[in-house]
Every structure is written in C-alpha cells, then in structure tokens.
Amino acid sequence: MTTDPVLRSAALASKAWPYEEARKLLKRYPDGAPAKGHVLFETGYGPSGLPHIGTFNEVLRTTMVRHAFETLSDIPTRLIAFSDDMDGLRKVPDNVPNKEMLAQYLGKPLTRIPDPFGTHDSFAAHNNAMLRDFLDRYGFEYEFVSSTDYYLGGKFDDALRGVLRHYQDIMNIMLPTLRAERQATYSPVLPISKKSGIVLQVPVEVVDADAGIVRFEDDGEPVEQSILSGGAKLQWKVDWAMRWVALGVDYEMAGKDLIDSVIQSGKITRALGGRPPEGFNYEMFLDEKGEKISKSKGNGLSIDEWLTYGPDESLAFYIYREPKKAKSLHLGLIPRAVDDYWQFRANYAGQPVEQRLGNPVHHIHNGPPPAETLPVTFGLLLNLVGVMGGDATKEQVWGYLGNYVADASPEKYPALDQLIGYALAYARDFVAPTLQRRAPEGVEGEALKRLDADLAALPAGATAEDIQNIVYEIGKTGGFAELRDWFKALYETLLGSSQGPRMGSFIALYGVENTRKLIAEALAR
C-alpha cells in the first residue's frame, strides 16, 4: 500500500524514536530493496522461563519500528520472532511447578525437557505457546521460528560450516573477553552428547569444516561428530551472529545489559562475511524493588497480570514511552497508564500531522486511533467502584454513570464498558484492601457540614463544575492552612484514600444524595 506523500514527508523529519530507528534502514539500503527482496526484522526470546512483559516489549517496539519503516519506504518487510529453544537449561526457574523433575534435565536442550506444567510436549513448547498466544491476541504480524527446527532441519548448516571455517577468527574475538579459567575451556561450538543428550561445554577441535566434523571429549572418551543438522548448538553470542548471517537480519534491538554481546556478535558477523543488523539498546524494566526483571526469578509482571487490570493499549502506551530510560514495571502503574493513553488519544484528532507522528497512540494503532472518546477517566472509575465496595457490578456502575454521562450505555461506550470491568477487578484486588476512612478532625467537621448543606441546596441539573466551585469555596474559606489540606481531608474521610479525583466530577458521578450519605457516615465516626 502506497503511503500518503504528506505523511511520508513528515515521517522523514519526525523525531519520534520509531522513525529515527527506521531511517537507519533507509541508509542501510540507499539503492532500494536488498537482494533477498525484503528488510528483515528479528526479535529473540529464550524460553528458559515463562515469558514476561519484557519479552513482549521487544516484539512491540520492533513492530513499531517496522511500521515506521513501512511509512518511509515501499520495500517489503518481514518480522521473525526467534525462540532460542535449543539452548541447554542452565538452572531451574523459581516460578514453575515440578522443580525436582526439571533438575534432572539440567544441561539438556529446552525442547528435550518435559513440560513441568504437563500441557505440552516440552518445556520450550509450553513457553513458546505462551508467547505466541499473546502475540496472536495482540494482533502482531510475525513469523515464529524455532531454533531447534532450524538446527535439526539443516537450515543453519551452511552457516555452521562458515563458523568452522572461521573458527580461529571467532576464538580471537571471544577469548580476550573471557576470564583466564573460561578461556581454557571455551568453544564457540557446543556439541550435543549422543550419550547423555546434554549440550556440552567442552573444547572442540575442527576436523573437517566443509563436512562439519569436530573432535572433542565426551565423559573422557574422544568423539568425532558432525555439528550439522542438530549435532551441536553454538555459544549464544556466536549463535546470534550466525543467525544474523544465515537469515540476513537487518534490524534487532536489545537490552542495555547486552551491549557487550551486541559488540562481540557484530565482530563475529563480520568475520563470517556478514553485516551486523541495525538496532539500538533499550533500558531495562525494573520491579518494585528496582531490580531487573528476570524470567528465572519470576519477579516481573506476566502479560496476563497486566491485562487482568488494564487493556492492551495501556500496556503498549507504557512500553512506547522513553525506551532508553529505565522504568519500574508493576501493577500500581496501570491506572496512570490507562488515563495517559486516553489523554493522548483524545488529543490526536486535533493535532497537525507532525504532532500526530510523535503521539504514542499513532504507533500503538499504526495510524489514527478509533474514534470513540472516554467520558470519564479510569481514575474516577476506580474511585467510584472503591466507594461502592467489592460486590459492585457493571450494571450498578452504569447506573451511577447515568448521573454524569448523557445516554450512558455499554452500546454507546463499548470501550468504557471494558474499562469498567478492569476497574472492578483492580479496585477489588488492590484498592478495596487499602481503603480506610477516618473521622474528620478540627475544622474538617464543620467544613463537611457546610458541604452537606450546600449540596442539599443545589438545584436540579447542577453540573460537576457547579459542585467543584462549592468545594473550592469551602476550601478557601473554611479555615484550612492550604487548599490541598481540604481536598486531602475529603479523600481520607469520604473515600478512604490519601489521594483522589476532582471532587466535583466524583460527586456528580456518585450522586449528590449518595455523597451526602458518605458525609453523614464520616461525621458519625
């Protein structure tokens, strides 16, 4: 599909990071499509543990760069999601069942280890399926590639022969980066033992590069074995480079912790006669304690956890922002991410094309977002359902929304209906257990009595703005040292929280009479 010339022109100058990344690929192929006929994007995944949001992050961000490139160029593109599932299991993850069973298979390829969950043919197959299920749910366009399938199927054989032909060149690149004791046993090639099935970490001697034959010791016995068609696995930095050459990868990003690996793999790629891909190093996601998220520790969010409490777009929004800045990633971030996403979405229609291209929603939706607007914020919904209690239902929430939104119905606002479900779940699991309403203190009691009287005197049809003016006036004249002290008192006595919504909007949504009941309950404490 041909891109609008105005859009392409704006994209060529846009400072949004996906366009800046895409322009690297324009420079890579200034004369048009490469010989293979397309530009190849790759993402990598090691299925030694359950996939987490960090895994999804790479596919999402790479897809955003891919879409940006498709705006800039008519060269066809492909995206490969590569699973390094022939890797040997180094340690048992903390967040899986049947750990004792898994421990018996340490060192063996992940595709040859039984699934501890008992649902798939192997541990790798289970984790691969989890990743693919979500990528499919989100609607990514990608081709899933299994390392095991490519090794066993001979698709890497020519590249493996190249590794043996340049064996010493690779050793010269890698050995200076290793400690002395590791140098003594290091080999770019990891033969798979025909006795034990383990991926062996042993020195290897090249016997016949063209035939793919190497010599090594297996349990004290000399062995000559072909590394082709699944007879061996490469050390991962070498494997990464071999893959770039064999597949012709043009773009792959990686975390900041892999900067040295990218450098070494790039050198090996050149030694093999290839060209390293373009890409950039993003900062890592951290857990609530500021520690790096790890598949084996299971200390990060799972994809399903975020999507229990927030929509896909909120996750994509959070991932898009500031990819080169380290960010915490925990469930407490979801409400803000939801509301920020909708704020940027609301801004999109009124922006010129240059601003639209820098708007995160443009990259989340690969163009203009859906037209539906959100009449209330997610934060306000959370405050409402928090006051309603843990047994609140969608139908009850829609009943309250009728106080605030004209013609409020799931049919008119399907996205809002979806958000109500998320708000009910989030409030039930995270908000309700923390709510604790306190009794008013000092001037707060008289201010609440005055608010109750003013609300009682409101005429029918009073707006949220009318109510907000009343609240504001009481805060200015009610004896509070600062206006924020009044709002804090409202949140803590009526809502049971240290922070909350714009009170005029909340009272209009919850209803004047219902709010007066909250005030009465507060004054009775």
Side-chain angles (χ1 to χ4, degrees), residues 139-406:
F140 286 115
E141 295 178 12
Y142 70 100
E143 301 166 42
F144 179 80
V145 173
S146 160
S147 175
T148 299
D149 290 347
Y150 271 47
Y151 269 101
L152 294 181
K155 293 184 179 180
F156 286 151
D157 283 356
D158 285 343
L160 290 171
R161 292 186 182 95
V163 168
L164 295 186
R165 293 187 189 108
H166 296 278
Y167 193 86
Q168 192 56 51
D169 294 331
I170 295 171
M171 292 289 281
N172 292 341
I173 292 169
M174 289 304 303
L175 289 180
T177 70
L178 305 173
R179 297 187 303 271
E181 62 270 22
R182 184 75 178 98
Q183 291 179 358
T185 60
Y186 178 81
S187 168
V189 177
L190 307 176
I192 297 178
S193 171
K194 291 184 178 180
K195 291 182 180 181
S196 64
I198 290 175
V199 181
L200 299 175
Q201 300 266 356
V202 294
V204 165
E205 177 187 348
V206 178
V207 175
D208 186 335
D210 291 337
I213 305 298
V214 298
R215 183 183 295 117
F216 57 94
E217 282 194 6
D218 185 359
D219 197 22
E221 295 184 11
V223 176
E224 286 192 5
Q225 181 175 308
S226 171
I227 72 168
L228 306 180
S229 301
K233 169 78 166 60
L234 297 182
Q235 288 277 8
W236 89 269
K237 292 178 186 178
V238 184
D239 185 277
W240 208 7
M242 179 277 295
R243 191 193 316 161
W244 288 345
V245 174
L247 303 178
V249 176
D250 294 304
Y251 189 90
E252 182 162 6
M253 59 178 65
K256 186 178 179 180
D257 58 334
L258 297 182
I259 287 177
D260 180 68
S261 300
V262 171
I263 292 171
Q264 305 311 324
S265 294
K267 292 177 181 179
I268 296 168
T269 299
R270 295 185 183 93
L272 295 174
R275 182 182 181 185
E278 310 299 326
F280 80 107
N281 295 103
Y282 54 81
E283 265 288 2
M284 309 307 296
F285 285 129
L286 309 174
D287 66 10
E288 287 182 284
K289 298 178 181 177
E291 297 177 353
K292 176 190 168 186
I293 289 175
S294 164
K295 290 192 296 291
S296 60
K297 288 182 181 180
N299 62 327
L301 285 181
S302 73
I303 294 165
D304 287 338
E305 282 176 319
W306 184 292
L307 297 181
T308 299
Y309 306 110
D312 298 353
E313 295 89 350
S314 65
L315 174 56
F317 178 88
Y318 190 74
I319 287 175
Y320 173 86
R321 305 292 300 277
E322 301 175 307
K324 294 193 175 183
K325 178 181 178 182
K327 295 189 290 185
S328 297
L329 189 61
H330 53 82
L331 292 172
L333 298 164
I334 293 176
R336 175 69 180 272
V338 173
D339 279 336
D340 283 353
Y341 161 77
W342 277 97
Q343 182 60 56
F344 277 88
R345 179 164 157 173
N347 294 341
Y348 188 88
Q351 293 176 324
V353 64
E354 295 80 10
Q355 290 183 17
R356 287 184 174 185
L357 297 188
N359 188 323
V361 301
H362 181 86
H363 301 276
I364 292 168
H365 295 281
N366 191 26
E372 184 179 351
T373 58
L374 198 64
V376 297
T377 66
F378 189 62
L380 190 56
L381 279 179
L382 285 175
N383 288 119
L384 172 63
V385 299
V387 171
M388 292 172 65
D391 297 329
T393 65
K394 266 192 175 185
E395 291 72 22
Q396 290 171 330
V397 175
W398 276 111
Y400 281 104
L401 285 168
N403 299 326
Y404 190 71
V405 180

